[in-house]
């Protein structure tokens, strides 16, 4: 093989190596984003759970943690959903989107229920409001866990 042919083979081999590294990097980056999304999702859920559990002992102050946890969890779900969309896995992306929508809807319903109870006089003090928010938040949280159980593919359990 002459020098020119050797150079072409060497350049071609190097280009293939670069392409392989680039493809591996893309796959690794997607997995990292999914993993970070999963951590954010589960951490947000843990923060919300802690806010609910502590509510009776903190006179409702810990309920302020719930929106923080929900936002973090939704951000994680969004990250995972975007990777799924990028991979063409529309089913998994739809599941993550559905979980976000469910969380937003139940939080909105909880707020509306508390507001209506105040308006009609069923809630007349902060203790009653805390109890109502804790119970409704607990029910919402339980329903989210049930949805997660039936929609996760088993890799995140």
């Amino acid at each position: 093989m002459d020098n020119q042919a050797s150079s072409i083979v060497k350049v071609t081999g190097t280009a293939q190596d670069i392409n392989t590294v680039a493809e591996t990097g893309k796959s690794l980056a997607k997995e990292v984003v999914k993993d970070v999304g999963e951590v954010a999702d589960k951490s947000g859920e843990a923060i919300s759970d802690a806010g609910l559990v502590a509510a009776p002992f903190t006179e409702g102050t810990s309920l302020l943690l719930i929106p923080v946890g929900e936002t973090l969890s939704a951000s994680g779900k969004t990250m995972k959903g975007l990777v799924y969309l990028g991979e063409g896995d529309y089913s998994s992306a739809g599941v993550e989107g559905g979980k976000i929508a469910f969380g937003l809807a139940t939080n909105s319903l909880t707020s509306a229920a508390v507001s209506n109870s105040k308006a009609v006089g069923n809630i007349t003090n902060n203790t009653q409001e805390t109890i109502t928010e804790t119970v409704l938040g607990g029910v919402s949280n339980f329903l989210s866990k049930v949805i997660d159980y039936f929609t996760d593919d088993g890799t995140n359990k």
Side-chain angles (χ1 to χ4, degrees):
M1 191 180 303
D2 66 6
N3 284 341
Q4 187 178 10
S6 284
S7 295
I8 291 171
V9 168
K10 187 175 179 182
V11 169
T12 303
T14 303
Q16 286 174 341
D17 289 345
I18 290 170
N19 286 336
T20 301
V21 169
E23 285 303 315
T24 303
K26 286 178 190 175
S27 296
L28 181 61
K30 288 177 187 177
E31 289 307 313
V32 167
V33 171
K34 276 198 275 190
D35 288 346
V36 169
E38 184 66 23
V39 168
D41 184 7
K42 297 303 177 195
S43 298
E45 287 178 0
I47 291 169
S48 294
D49 291 350
L52 277 172
V53 169
F57 311 106
T58 63
E59 297 180 353
T61 341
S62 66
L63 292 172
L64 297 173
L65 292 173
I66 294 172
V68 173
E70 294 290 335
T71 301
L72 181 58
S73 182
S75 297
K77 285 177 175 63
T78 301
M79 289 172 72
K80 292 186 293 183
L82 289 173
V83 172
Y84 291 137
L85 280 175
E87 293 174 337
D89 185 353
Y90 302 116
S91 176
S92 294
V95 167
E96 294 301 331
K99 289 179 185 178
I100 294 169
F102 178 79
L104 292 172
T106 54
N107 289 338
S108 176
L109 290 172
T110 297
S111 296
V114 170
S115 295
N116 285 339
S117 291
K118 282 180 178 178
V120 298
N122 289 338
I123 294 178
T124 57
N125 59 46
N126 287 340
T127 302
Q128 290 173 335
E129 182 175 352
T130 298
I131 290 169
T132 303
E133 285 181 356
T134 304
V135 169
L136 292 175
V139 169
S140 167
N141 192 347
F142 173 73
L143 291 174
S144 276
K145 300 277 189 245
V146 170
I147 287 172
D148 284 348
Y149 178 80
F150 285 106
T151 55
D152 281 345
D153 61 4
T155 59
N156 299 326
K157 293 181 185 169

